mmCIF file of all heavy atoms in Angstrom:
data_model
loop_
_atom_site.group_PDB
_atom_site.id
_atom_site.type_symbol
_atom_site.label_atom_id
_atom_site.label_comp_id
_atom_site.label_asym_id
_atom_site.label_seq_id
_atom_site.Cartn_x
_atom_site.Cartn_y
_atom_site.Cartn_z
ATOM 1 N N TYR A 10 8.942 51.076 -0.024
ATOM 2 C CA TYR A 10 9.977 50.452 -0.851
ATOM 3 C C TYR A 10 11.334 50.430 -0.154
ATOM 4 O O TYR A 10 12.128 49.520 -0.361
ATOM 5 C CB TYR A 10 10.032 51.086 -2.238
ATOM 6 C CG TYR A 10 8.904 50.556 -3.095
ATOM 7 C CD1 TYR A 10 7.745 51.287 -3.303
ATOM 8 C CD2 TYR A 10 8.975 49.280 -3.643
ATOM 9 C CE1 TYR A 10 6.691 50.774 -4.056
ATOM 10 C CE2 TYR A 10 7.937 48.756 -4.398
ATOM 11 C CZ TYR A 10 6.800 49.509 -4.593
ATOM 12 O OH TYR A 10 5.762 48.986 -5.323
ATOM 13 N N ALA A 11 11.603 51.407 0.716
ATOM 14 C CA ALA A 11 12.832 51.380 1.516
ATOM 15 C C ALA A 11 12.783 50.215 2.503
ATOM 16 O O ALA A 11 13.776 49.503 2.696
ATOM 17 C CB ALA A 11 13.018 52.697 2.251
ATOM 18 N N VAL A 12 11.624 49.997 3.105
ATOM 19 C CA VAL A 12 11.449 48.868 4.033
ATOM 20 C C VAL A 12 11.565 47.551 3.273
ATOM 21 O O VAL A 12 12.208 46.608 3.747
ATOM 22 C CB VAL A 12 10.109 48.982 4.788
ATOM 23 C CG1 VAL A 12 9.762 47.689 5.511
ATOM 24 C CG2 VAL A 12 10.159 50.138 5.777
ATOM 25 N N LEU A 13 10.957 47.468 2.102
ATOM 26 C CA LEU A 13 11.054 46.262 1.293
ATOM 27 C C LEU A 13 12.516 45.958 0.945
ATOM 28 O O LEU A 13 12.955 44.807 1.003
ATOM 29 C CB LEU A 13 10.215 46.399 0.021
ATOM 30 C CG LEU A 13 10.164 45.194 -0.899
ATOM 31 C CD1 LEU A 13 9.616 43.957 -0.176
ATOM 32 C CD2 LEU A 13 9.320 45.507 -2.133
ATOM 33 N N LYS A 14 13.273 46.990 0.626
ATOM 34 C CA LYS A 14 14.698 46.803 0.344
ATOM 35 C C LYS A 14 15.403 46.230 1.566
ATOM 36 O O LYS A 14 16.220 45.307 1.455
ATOM 37 C CB LYS A 14 15.333 48.139 -0.056
ATOM 38 C CG LYS A 14 16.807 48.039 -0.345
ATOM 39 C CD LYS A 14 17.393 49.388 -0.729
ATOM 40 C CE LYS A 14 18.895 49.245 -0.944
ATOM 41 N NZ LYS A 14 19.540 50.525 -1.195
ATOM 42 N N ARG A 15 15.078 46.751 2.749
ATOM 43 C CA ARG A 15 15.692 46.246 3.979
ATOM 44 C C ARG A 15 15.293 44.791 4.226
ATOM 45 O O ARG A 15 16.117 43.981 4.654
ATOM 46 C CB ARG A 15 15.297 47.138 5.161
ATOM 47 C CG ARG A 15 15.920 46.716 6.462
ATOM 48 C CD ARG A 15 17.439 46.919 6.430
ATOM 49 N NE ARG A 15 18.009 46.465 7.682
ATOM 50 C CZ ARG A 15 19.128 45.760 7.794
ATOM 51 N NH1 ARG A 15 19.840 45.477 6.727
ATOM 52 N NH2 ARG A 15 19.559 45.364 8.951
ATOM 53 N N MET A 16 14.039 44.455 3.962
ATOM 54 C CA MET A 16 13.585 43.065 4.105
ATOM 55 C C MET A 16 14.390 42.138 3.200
ATOM 56 O O MET A 16 14.771 41.041 3.607
ATOM 57 C CB MET A 16 12.100 42.936 3.746
ATOM 58 C CG MET A 16 11.150 43.523 4.725
ATOM 59 S SD MET A 16 9.479 43.256 4.089
ATOM 60 C CE MET A 16 8.545 44.297 5.168
ATOM 61 N N ARG A 17 14.650 42.593 1.988
ATOM 62 C CA ARG A 17 15.440 41.790 1.047
ATOM 63 C C ARG A 17 16.869 41.609 1.551
ATOM 64 O O ARG A 17 17.454 40.531 1.424
ATOM 65 C CB ARG A 17 15.430 42.436 -0.336
ATOM 66 C CG ARG A 17 14.088 42.310 -1.028
ATOM 67 C CD ARG A 17 14.079 42.994 -2.372
ATOM 68 N NE ARG A 17 12.818 42.773 -3.053
ATOM 69 C CZ ARG A 17 12.230 43.668 -3.819
ATOM 70 N NH1 ARG A 17 12.805 44.849 -4.022
ATOM 71 N NH2 ARG A 17 11.085 43.407 -4.399
ATOM 72 N N GLU A 18 17.437 42.673 2.117
ATOM 73 C CA GLU A 18 18.791 42.580 2.663
ATOM 74 C C GLU A 18 18.845 41.572 3.822
ATOM 75 O O GLU A 18 19.765 40.757 3.900
ATOM 76 C CB GLU A 18 19.263 43.952 3.156
ATOM 77 C CG GLU A 18 19.489 44.956 2.051
ATOM 78 C CD GLU A 18 19.674 46.380 2.543
ATOM 79 O OE1 GLU A 18 19.473 46.661 3.750
ATOM 80 O OE2 GLU A 18 20.013 47.239 1.695
ATOM 81 N N LEU A 19 17.873 41.656 4.713
ATOM 82 C CA LEU A 19 17.838 40.732 5.847
ATOM 83 C C LEU A 19 17.651 39.292 5.376
ATOM 84 O O LEU A 19 18.287 38.373 5.893
ATOM 85 C CB LEU A 19 16.728 41.128 6.825
ATOM 86 C CG LEU A 19 16.974 42.415 7.607
ATOM 87 C CD1 LEU A 19 15.733 42.800 8.410
ATOM 88 C CD2 LEU A 19 18.183 42.269 8.517
ATOM 89 N N THR A 20 16.776 39.103 4.396
ATOM 90 C CA THR A 20 16.551 37.767 3.856
ATOM 91 C C THR A 20 17.835 37.213 3.258
ATOM 92 O O THR A 20 18.202 36.062 3.508
ATOM 93 C CB THR A 20 15.420 37.788 2.807
ATOM 94 O OG1 THR A 20 14.196 38.165 3.468
ATOM 95 C CG2 THR A 20 15.242 36.436 2.153
ATOM 96 N N LYS A 21 18.525 38.038 2.493
ATOM 97 C CA LYS A 21 19.783 37.603 1.873
ATOM 98 C C LYS A 21 20.809 37.209 2.935
ATOM 99 O O LYS A 21 21.581 36.261 2.749
ATOM 100 C CB LYS A 21 20.342 38.722 0.987
ATOM 101 C CG LYS A 21 21.565 38.323 0.201
ATOM 102 C CD LYS A 21 22.000 39.433 -0.741
ATOM 103 C CE LYS A 21 23.215 38.989 -1.535
ATOM 104 N NZ LYS A 21 23.663 40.030 -2.460
ATOM 105 N N ALA A 22 20.786 37.906 4.082
ATOM 106 C CA ALA A 22 21.717 37.619 5.172
ATOM 107 C C ALA A 22 21.228 36.470 6.061
ATOM 108 O O ALA A 22 21.924 36.068 6.991
ATOM 109 C CB ALA A 22 21.933 38.871 6.011
ATOM 110 N N GLY A 23 20.021 35.962 5.783
ATOM 111 C CA GLY A 23 19.475 34.863 6.575
ATOM 112 C C GLY A 23 18.897 35.290 7.912
ATOM 113 O O GLY A 23 18.744 34.475 8.819
ATOM 114 N N VAL A 24 18.565 36.581 8.036
ATOM 115 C CA VAL A 24 18.042 37.121 9.292
ATOM 116 C C VAL A 24 16.523 37.265 9.200
ATOM 117 O O VAL A 24 16.021 38.017 8.365
ATOM 118 C CB VAL A 24 18.673 38.498 9.595
ATOM 119 C CG1 VAL A 24 18.098 39.092 10.871
ATOM 120 C CG2 VAL A 24 20.189 38.385 9.656
ATOM 121 N N PRO A 25 15.772 36.558 10.053
ATOM 122 C CA PRO A 25 14.312 36.686 10.035
ATOM 123 C C PRO A 25 13.862 38.018 10.639
ATOM 124 O O PRO A 25 14.595 38.650 11.408
ATOM 125 C CB PRO A 25 13.831 35.508 10.885
ATOM 126 C CG PRO A 25 14.981 35.124 11.724
ATOM 127 C CD PRO A 25 16.224 35.570 11.016
ATOM 128 N N PHE A 26 12.653 38.430 10.297
ATOM 129 C CA PHE A 26 12.104 39.687 10.794
ATOM 130 C C PHE A 26 10.599 39.541 10.984
ATOM 131 O O PHE A 26 10.007 38.535 10.603
ATOM 132 C CB PHE A 26 12.428 40.843 9.836
ATOM 133 C CG PHE A 26 12.072 40.556 8.402
ATOM 134 C CD1 PHE A 26 10.810 40.827 7.914
ATOM 135 C CD2 PHE A 26 13.009 39.996 7.547
ATOM 136 C CE1 PHE A 26 10.484 40.556 6.592
ATOM 137 C CE2 PHE A 26 12.695 39.731 6.228
ATOM 138 C CZ PHE A 26 11.430 40.007 5.754
ATOM 139 N N ASP A 27 9.993 40.548 11.589
ATOM 140 C CA ASP A 27 8.565 40.545 11.897
ATOM 141 C C ASP A 27 7.861 41.634 11.092
ATOM 142 O O ASP A 27 8.439 42.699 10.849
ATOM 143 C CB ASP A 27 8.329 40.824 13.386
ATOM 144 C CG ASP A 27 9.078 39.868 14.294
ATOM 145 O OD1 ASP A 27 9.391 38.747 13.861
ATOM 146 O OD2 ASP A 27 9.351 40.259 15.451
ATOM 147 N N ILE A 28 6.602 41.371 10.725
ATOM 148 C CA ILE A 28 5.790 42.373 10.044
ATOM 149 C C ILE A 28 4.361 42.336 10.577
ATOM 150 O O ILE A 28 3.932 41.348 11.185
ATOM 151 C CB ILE A 28 5.753 42.180 8.509
ATOM 152 C CG1 ILE A 28 5.134 40.832 8.126
ATOM 153 C CG2 ILE A 28 7.131 42.361 7.895
ATOM 154 C CD1 ILE A 28 4.865 40.674 6.630
ATOM 155 N N GLU A 29 3.653 43.420 10.344
ATOM 156 C CA GLU A 29 2.213 43.486 10.578
ATOM 157 C C GLU A 29 1.596 44.132 9.344
ATOM 158 O O GLU A 29 2.129 45.120 8.825
ATOM 159 C CB GLU A 29 1.872 44.332 11.809
ATOM 160 C CG GLU A 29 2.249 43.680 13.109
ATOM 161 C CD GLU A 29 1.821 44.494 14.323
ATOM 162 O OE1 GLU A 29 0.735 45.105 14.290
ATOM 163 O OE2 GLU A 29 2.596 44.527 15.290
ATOM 164 N N TYR A 30 0.495 43.565 8.902
ATOM 165 C CA TYR A 30 -0.189 44.105 7.730
ATOM 166 C C TYR A 30 -1.691 43.846 7.855
ATOM 167 O O TYR A 30 -2.122 43.013 8.645
ATOM 168 C CB TYR A 30 0.349 43.498 6.432
ATOM 169 C CG TYR A 30 0.145 41.997 6.313
ATOM 170 C CD1 TYR A 30 -0.970 41.482 5.665
ATOM 171 C CD2 TYR A 30 1.070 41.107 6.835
ATOM 172 C CE1 TYR A 30 -1.160 40.110 5.559
ATOM 173 C CE2 TYR A 30 0.891 39.738 6.729
ATOM 174 C CZ TYR A 30 -0.228 39.252 6.088
ATOM 175 O OH TYR A 30 -0.413 37.892 5.992
ATOM 176 N N ILE A 31 -2.454 44.581 7.085
ATOM 177 C CA ILE A 31 -3.899 44.359 7.050
ATOM 178 C C ILE A 31 -4.156 43.332 5.956
ATOM 179 O O ILE A 31 -3.726 43.506 4.817
ATOM 180 C CB ILE A 31 -4.651 45.664 6.739
ATOM 181 C CG1 ILE A 31 -4.351 46.698 7.822
ATOM 182 C CG2 ILE A 31 -6.158 45.402 6.627
ATOM 183 C CD1 ILE A 31 -4.823 48.088 7.488
ATOM 184 N N SER A 32 -4.827 42.262 6.328
ATOM 185 C CA SER A 32 -5.122 41.225 5.329
ATOM 186 C C SER A 32 -6.255 41.700 4.428
ATOM 187 O O SER A 32 -7.105 42.493 4.837
ATOM 188 C CB SER A 32 -5.517 39.920 6.024
ATOM 189 O OG SER A 32 -6.792 40.048 6.616
ATOM 190 N N TYR A 33 -6.244 41.206 3.205
ATOM 191 C CA TYR A 33 -7.335 41.523 2.277
ATOM 192 C C TYR A 33 -7.365 40.489 1.173
ATOM 193 O O TYR A 33 -6.353 40.232 0.525
ATOM 194 C CB TYR A 33 -7.154 42.919 1.663
ATOM 195 C CG TYR A 33 -8.289 43.309 0.755
ATOM 196 C CD1 TYR A 33 -9.577 43.485 1.263
ATOM 197 C CD2 TYR A 33 -8.097 43.480 -0.597
ATOM 198 C CE1 TYR A 33 -10.631 43.829 0.437
ATOM 199 C CE2 TYR A 33 -9.145 43.835 -1.433
ATOM 200 C CZ TYR A 33 -10.410 43.996 -0.912
ATOM 201 O OH TYR A 33 -11.449 44.329 -1.728
ATOM 202 N N GLN A 34 -8.524 39.893 0.990
ATOM 203 C CA GLN A 34 -8.738 38.949 -0.106
ATOM 204 C C GLN A 34 -9.593 39.668 -1.142
ATOM 205 O O GLN A 34 -10.793 39.843 -0.958
ATOM 206 C CB GLN A 34 -9.444 37.692 0.393
ATOM 207 C CG GLN A 34 -8.622 36.903 1.381
ATOM 208 C CD GLN A 34 -9.390 35.708 1.920
ATOM 209 O OE1 GLN A 34 -10.362 35.251 1.323
ATOM 210 N NE2 GLN A 34 -8.953 35.217 3.053
ATOM 211 N N GLU A 35 -8.945 40.087 -2.204
ATOM 212 C CA GLU A 35 -9.617 40.924 -3.201
ATOM 213 C C GLU A 35 -10.817 40.234 -3.841
ATOM 214 O O GLU A 35 -11.875 40.830 -3.988
ATOM 215 C CB GLU A 35 -8.624 41.360 -4.270
ATOM 216 C CG GLU A 35 -9.212 42.349 -5.248
ATOM 217 C CD GLU A 35 -8.188 42.863 -6.231
ATOM 218 O OE1 GLU A 35 -7.219 42.145 -6.531
ATOM 219 O OE2 GLU A 35 -8.371 43.984 -6.716
ATOM 220 N N LYS A 36 -10.658 38.975 -4.249
ATOM 221 C CA LYS A 36 -11.756 38.276 -4.922
ATOM 222 C C LYS A 36 -12.982 38.162 -4.036
ATOM 223 O O LYS A 36 -14.104 38.321 -4.494
ATOM 224 C CB LYS A 36 -11.310 36.895 -5.389
ATOM 225 C CG LYS A 36 -10.367 36.944 -6.563
ATOM 226 C CD LYS A 36 -9.994 35.566 -7.043
ATOM 227 C CE LYS A 36 -9.015 35.661 -8.191
ATOM 228 N NZ LYS A 36 -8.593 34.353 -8.679
ATOM 229 N N ALA A 37 -12.777 37.880 -2.762
ATOM 230 C CA ALA A 37 -13.896 37.736 -1.828
ATOM 231 C C ALA A 37 -14.312 39.079 -1.232
ATOM 232 O O ALA A 37 -15.403 39.200 -0.689
ATOM 233 C CB ALA A 37 -13.524 36.767 -0.708
ATOM 234 N N GLY A 38 -13.420 40.067 -1.320
ATOM 235 C CA GLY A 38 -13.713 41.376 -0.762
ATOM 236 C C GLY A 38 -13.777 41.374 0.759
ATOM 237 O O GLY A 38 -14.559 42.108 1.347
ATOM 238 N N VAL A 39 -12.956 40.535 1.398
ATOM 239 C CA VAL A 39 -12.997 40.423 2.855
ATOM 240 C C VAL A 39 -11.599 40.606 3.459
ATOM 241 O O VAL A 39 -10.585 40.433 2.794
ATOM 242 C CB VAL A 39 -13.558 39.056 3.319
ATOM 243 C CG1 VAL A 39 -14.999 38.884 2.867
ATOM 244 C CG2 VAL A 39 -12.704 37.908 2.817
ATOM 245 N N THR A 40 -11.592 40.961 4.726
ATOM 246 C CA THR A 40 -10.358 41.087 5.477
ATOM 247 C C THR A 40 -10.490 40.283 6.763
ATOM 248 O O THR A 40 -11.602 40.089 7.266
ATOM 249 C CB THR A 40 -10.036 42.561 5.811
ATOM 250 O OG1 THR A 40 -8.795 42.602 6.532
ATOM 251 C CG2 THR A 40 -11.118 43.201 6.642
ATOM 252 N N GLU A 41 -9.367 39.832 7.262
ATOM 253 C CA GLU A 41 -9.326 39.173 8.569
ATOM 254 C C GLU A 41 -8.655 40.096 9.571
ATOM 255 O O GLU A 41 -8.202 39.662 10.621
ATOM 256 C CB GLU A 41 -8.580 37.842 8.459
ATOM 257 C CG GLU A 41 -9.301 36.826 7.600
ATOM 258 C CD GLU A 41 -8.510 35.538 7.424
ATOM 259 O OE1 GLU A 41 -7.406 35.404 7.997
ATOM 260 O OE2 GLU A 41 -9.003 34.660 6.699
ATOM 261 N N GLY A 42 -8.566 41.369 9.238
ATOM 262 C CA GLY A 42 -7.966 42.355 10.128
ATOM 263 C C GLY A 42 -6.460 42.370 10.031
ATOM 264 O O GLY A 42 -5.873 41.997 9.025
ATOM 265 N N VAL A 43 -5.845 42.797 11.114
ATOM 266 C CA VAL A 43 -4.385 42.923 11.155
ATOM 267 C C VAL A 43 -3.763 41.565 11.410
ATOM 268 O O VAL A 43 -4.171 40.835 12.305
ATOM 269 C CB VAL A 43 -3.953 43.920 12.248
ATOM 270 C CG1 VAL A 43 -2.437 43.963 12.377
ATOM 271 C CG2 VAL A 43 -4.491 45.309 11.940
ATOM 272 N N LYS A 44 -2.781 41.229 10.604
ATOM 273 C CA LYS A 44 -2.009 39.991 10.760
ATOM 274 C C LYS A 44 -0.632 40.357 11.292
ATOM 275 O O LYS A 44 0.029 41.237 10.749
ATOM 276 C CB LYS A 44 -1.834 39.273 9.418
ATOM 277 C CG LYS A 44 -3.105 38.793 8.801
ATOM 278 C CD LYS A 44 -3.530 37.521 9.468
ATOM 279 C CE LYS A 44 -4.690 36.916 8.697
ATOM 280 N NZ LYS A 44 -5.061 35.631 9.208
ATOM 281 N N LYS A 45 -0.231 39.681 12.354
ATOM 282 C CA LYS A 45 1.115 39.845 12.908
ATOM 283 C C LYS A 45 1.851 38.547 12.653
ATOM 284 O O LYS A 45 1.415 37.485 13.076
ATOM 285 C CB LYS A 45 1.051 40.106 14.411
ATOM 286 C CG LYS A 45 0.309 41.365 14.771
ATOM 287 C CD LYS A 45 0.214 41.530 16.274
ATOM 288 C CE LYS A 45 -0.620 42.738 16.604
ATOM 289 N NZ LYS A 45 -0.686 42.978 18.056
ATOM 290 N N VAL A 46 2.952 38.641 11.921
ATOM 291 C CA VAL A 46 3.734 37.443 11.631
ATOM 292 C C VAL A 46 5.176 37.679 12.051
ATOM 293 O O VAL A 46 5.750 38.732 11.805
ATOM 294 C CB VAL A 46 3.627 37.015 10.151
ATOM 295 C CG1 VAL A 46 2.250 36.472 9.850
ATOM 296 C CG2 VAL A 46 3.926 38.148 9.198
ATOM 297 N N GLN A 47 5.724 36.674 12.711
ATOM 298 C CA GLN A 47 7.064 36.791 13.264
ATOM 299 C C GLN A 47 7.999 35.780 12.621
ATOM 300 O O GLN A 47 7.589 34.702 12.207
ATOM 301 C CB GLN A 47 7.036 36.565 14.771
ATOM 302 C CG GLN A 47 6.174 37.570 15.505
ATOM 303 C CD GLN A 47 6.059 37.252 16.984
ATOM 304 O OE1 GLN A 47 5.992 36.106 17.387
ATOM 305 N NE2 GLN A 47 6.049 38.303 17.793
ATOM 306 N N GLY A 48 9.255 36.161 12.580
ATOM 307 C CA GLY A 48 10.292 35.254 12.110
ATOM 308 C C GLY A 48 10.156 34.833 10.667
ATOM 309 O O GLY A 48 10.321 33.671 10.335
ATOM 310 N N ILE A 49 9.862 35.795 9.800
ATOM 311 C CA ILE A 49 9.676 35.467 8.384
ATOM 312 C C ILE A 49 10.891 35.871 7.568
ATOM 313 O O ILE A 49 11.756 36.620 8.026
ATOM 314 C CB ILE A 49 8.415 36.136 7.804
ATOM 315 C CG1 ILE A 49 8.602 37.646 7.669
ATOM 316 C CG2 ILE A 49 7.190 35.794 8.617
ATOM 317 C CD1 ILE A 49 7.586 38.306 6.776
ATOM 318 N N GLN A 50 10.911 35.380 6.347
ATOM 319 C CA GLN A 50 11.861 35.815 5.335
ATOM 320 C C GLN A 50 11.111 35.880 4.009
ATOM 321 O O GLN A 50 10.116 35.174 3.818
ATOM 322 C CB GLN A 50 13.034 34.865 5.246
ATOM 323 C CG GLN A 50 13.921 34.929 6.474
ATOM 324 C CD GLN A 50 15.222 34.216 6.276
ATOM 325 O OE1 GLN A 50 15.250 33.091 5.814
ATOM 326 N NE2 GLN A 50 16.306 34.880 6.621
ATOM 327 N N LEU A 51 11.585 36.728 3.129
ATOM 328 C CA LEU A 51 10.944 36.856 1.823
ATOM 329 C C LEU A 51 11.271 35.651 0.959
ATOM 330 O O LEU A 51 12.214 34.913 1.204
ATOM 331 C CB LEU A 51 11.406 38.134 1.125
ATOM 332 C CG LEU A 51 11.074 39.445 1.824
ATOM 333 C CD1 LEU A 51 11.520 40.614 0.953
ATOM 334 C CD2 LEU A 51 9.604 39.561 2.161
ATOM 335 N N ARG A 52 10.466 35.468 -0.070
ATOM 336 C CA ARG A 52 10.707 34.422 -1.060
ATOM 337 C C ARG A 52 10.538 35.044 -2.433
ATOM 338 O O ARG A 52 10.148 36.209 -2.561
ATOM 339 C CB ARG A 52 9.760 33.247 -0.869
ATOM 340 C CG ARG A 52 8.307 33.597 -1.082
ATOM 341 C CD ARG A 52 7.431 32.388 -0.770
ATOM 342 N NE ARG A 52 6.039 32.679 -0.974
ATOM 343 C CZ ARG A 52 5.395 32.550 -2.132
ATOM 344 N NH1 ARG A 52 6.043 32.123 -3.201
ATOM 345 N NH2 ARG A 52 4.122 32.829 -2.231
ATOM 346 N N THR A 53 10.803 34.277 -3.448
ATOM 347 C CA THR A 53 10.656 34.767 -4.808
ATOM 348 C C THR A 53 9.224 35.231 -5.042
ATOM 349 O O THR A 53 8.275 34.543 -4.664
ATOM 350 C CB THR A 53 11.024 33.661 -5.814
ATOM 351 O OG1 THR A 53 12.351 33.238 -5.543
ATOM 352 C CG2 THR A 53 10.921 34.166 -7.236
ATOM 353 N N GLY A 54 9.096 36.383 -5.650
ATOM 354 C CA GLY A 54 7.777 36.954 -5.888
ATOM 355 C C GLY A 54 7.126 36.419 -7.146
ATOM 356 O O GLY A 54 7.632 35.518 -7.813
ATOM 357 N N MET A 55 6.008 37.005 -7.456
ATOM 358 C CA MET A 55 5.218 36.603 -8.612
ATOM 359 C C MET A 55 5.714 37.327 -9.859
ATOM 360 O O MET A 55 6.090 38.491 -9.799
ATOM 361 C CB MET A 55 3.746 36.965 -8.352
ATOM 362 C CG MET A 55 2.795 36.441 -9.368
ATOM 363 S SD MET A 55 1.082 36.814 -8.913
ATOM 364 C CE MET A 55 0.900 35.816 -7.464
ATOM 365 N N SER A 56 5.700 36.643 -10.958
ATOM 366 C CA SER A 56 6.109 37.214 -12.227
ATOM 367 C C SER A 56 5.046 38.185 -12.742
ATOM 368 O O SER A 56 3.852 37.967 -12.555
ATOM 369 C CB SER A 56 6.297 36.080 -13.238
ATOM 370 O OG SER A 56 6.331 36.585 -14.542
#
Side-chain angles (χ1 to χ4, degrees):
Y10 282 101
V12 167
L13 183 59
K14 179 180 177 185
R15 182 67 182 138
M16 288 180 192
R17 288 178 176 144
E18 292 168 351
L19 290 173
T20 296
K21 186 175 181 180
V24 178
F26 51 88
D27 305 335
I28 62 171
E29 289 184 37
Y30 63 94
I31 300 169
S32 71
Y33 183 65
Q34 296 176 20
E35 186 175 28
K36 288 183 182 179
V39 297
T40 181
E41 294 176 2
V43 175
K44 296 281 189 174
K45 299 177 184 183
V46 289
Q47 299 175 323
I49 71 164
Q50 291 192 312
L51 298 184
R52 64 184 181 87
T53 303
M55 188 176 293
S56 164

